[in-house]
Amino acid sequence: MTTATKTEYHTSFLTASCNRQAYLTREGKAVGEATGALFRGIAASAAMEYAHAQKLDPACAAGAAITGWSEAEAQCEAENRPLSEAVGKNKPKTLAEIERVVSLYCDRFRQMFSTAKRYYTEVPIRWAIDVDGEPAEFASHLDLLWQAAGGSWYVDDWKWRADAPSPHYLSRNMQLGMYALAVAHGEVLLDDFWVALDAMPVVTWVHLPHLLPYTMKVKAKDDSGQLVTFAKGDPRPLKNIRCTADIHDEAVILDEFRQRVRMDRAGFHPTSPDPIGCRLCECSRHCPSFDGDGKGEQQ
């Protein structure tokens, strides 16, 4: 008797701008190279993980950058994703940039984490959610899960994006919302054991580029909410680096998740065309097009 493989729903399925791209990627039909931005994000996350393993000692920054680069190369190779020419060309610059960001992160947050009860990096999470009487398996990994001295749990998600998130975006982010609910109601893998924490965590988008100081004189609100003038070279406010997502309405998040699962089970994966995104999309060869053959770009 053959047992059907259960579909696991990951955050990439929930956050992709195009539903068809998310489906095709899950089906192994993504064909493409690792761009500079993608590779840097992978390397930076691996570097941050290394830094936490070194107790955020600022002296680890160079080693963190090198380790992050090596792990990113290995991941891209495992995914059969060749590196773009730009990745190799910009290696010295990228390594220096990651090293600097890691060093600044250690300087600014080492003391905060030194008082934490415990913390874990690259934490697997899972949660079986009932969708019309049948469980849907949500699974993902947390960049950083840590418990403060007072007992509260936090989920930190390291991001290296061009644009900083707005509060409106954070409050609607399915990835962060599902992280919160999975920690609260599902299980996390800690020290080789699946554990139910039964606690709603504070979820934070950690905007790594904002660890770099201001590059010009600007007026902005400081951490106390006062409008002040920052000079070129001043560090940015902590609230601009650690951006907390206000996530309160579980029903809305679950309704969004269940609707996506229903669409997937019905085989409904609509495209969301984008002028630039479609040209760069790794799934374009397998995506239906309107050019007459219905097979997408097969070249």
Side-chain angles (χ1 to χ4, degrees), residues 170-171 177 180-181 200-201 244-253:
L170 290 174
S171 69
L181 297 193
M200 180 67 75
T244 300
D246 286 326
I247 298 169
H248 304 292
D249 200 327
E250 295 188 21
V252 171
I253 298 170

Side-chain angles (χ1 to χ4, degrees), residues 144-211:
L144 179 67
L145 175 68
W146 60 284
Q147 187 177 31
S152 298
W153 284 97
Y154 291 79
V155 171
D156 284 13
D157 200 43
W158 300 315
K159 299 289 189 183
W160 198 311
R161 303 279 180 85
D163 299 318
S166 68
H168 303 84
Y169 173 75
L170 290 174
S171 69
R172 293 170 171 83
N173 189 286
M174 276 294 290
Q175 179 186 34
L176 302 184
M178 289 300 293
Y179 282 167
L181 297 193
V183 171
H185 306 300
E187 296 178 307
V188 298
L189 187 64
L190 303 181
D191 300 322
D192 297 323
F193 292 96
W194 286 103
V195 180
L197 297 181
D198 296 321
M200 180 67 75
V202 176
V203 182
T204 301
W205 171 302
V206 182
H207 198 65
L208 297 178
H210 275 182
L211 283 159

Side-chain angles (χ1 to χ4, degrees), residues 58-169:
C60 80
I66 293 172
T67 299
W69 184 279
S70 297
E71 292 193 13
E73 282 186 321
Q75 179 177 330
C76 289
E77 182 178 359
E79 295 175 353
N80 196 26
R81 188 191 296 269
L83 307 186
S84 68
E85 183 179 344
V87 171
K89 182 179 179 181
N90 295 325
K91 181 176 180 178
K93 179 182 177 181
T94 303
L95 282 172
E97 197 171 31
I98 294 175
E99 179 180 346
R100 189 181 182 199
V101 164
V102 170
S103 178
L104 291 169
Y105 180 90
C106 292
D107 285 339
R108 298 200 73 171
F109 299 119
R110 184 182 186 188
Q111 174 144 8
M112 181 183 79
F113 284 109
S114 69
T115 62
K117 280 188 175 182
R118 48 184 171 165
Y119 56 78
Y120 307 85
T121 57
E122 196 60 18
V123 181
I125 58 175
R126 67 186 185 186
W127 183 25
I129 303 164
D130 179 82
V131 179
D132 303 328
E134 182 181 347
E137 306 289 336
F138 171 73
S140 192
H141 286 74
L142 308 176
D143 286 345
L144 179 67
L145 175 68
W146 60 284
Q147 187 177 31
S152 298
W153 284 97
Y154 291 79
V155 171
D156 284 13
D157 200 43
W158 300 315
K159 299 289 189 183
W160 198 311
R161 303 279 180 85
D163 299 318
S166 68
H168 303 84
Y169 173 75

Side-chain angles (χ1 to χ4, degrees), residues 232-280:
K232 178 181 178 180
D234 283 347
R236 300 172 192 263
L238 293 177
K239 67 181 182 63
N240 288 357
I241 301 169
R242 293 180 52 80
C243 310
T244 300
D246 286 326
I247 298 169
H248 304 292
D249 200 327
E250 295 188 21
V252 171
I253 298 170
L254 285 174
D255 183 59
E256 289 279 339
F257 177 81
R258 289 186 173 111
Q259 292 290 9
R260 286 164 169 78
V261 172
R262 291 183 183 112
M263 289 169 61
D264 183 61
R265 288 176 176 174
F268 181 52
H269 305 107
T271 57
S272 298
D274 178 85
I276 303 299
C278 284
R279 179 169 62 85
L280 301 176

Side-chain angles (χ1 to χ4, degrees), residues 7-85:
T7 298
E8 281 190 347
Y9 295 97
H10 298 260
T11 49
S12 59
F13 178 78
L14 304 176
T15 58
S17 58
C18 177
N19 187 278
R20 173 70 65 166
Q21 181 211 20
Y23 167 72
L24 290 173
T25 299
R26 191 186 70 197
E27 295 297 302
K29 295 181 179 180
V31 181
E33 62 183 9
T35 63
L38 173 65
F39 186 87
R40 182 182 57 187
I42 297 172
S45 290
M48 298 295 290
E49 184 177 350
Y50 177 91
H52 272 281
Q54 302 301 314
K55 307 298 182 185
L56 299 186
D57 181 352
C60 80
I66 293 172
T67 299
W69 184 279
S70 297
E71 292 193 13
E73 282 186 321
Q75 179 177 330
C76 289
E77 182 178 359
E79 295 175 353
N80 196 26
R81 188 191 296 269
L83 307 186
S84 68
E85 183 179 344

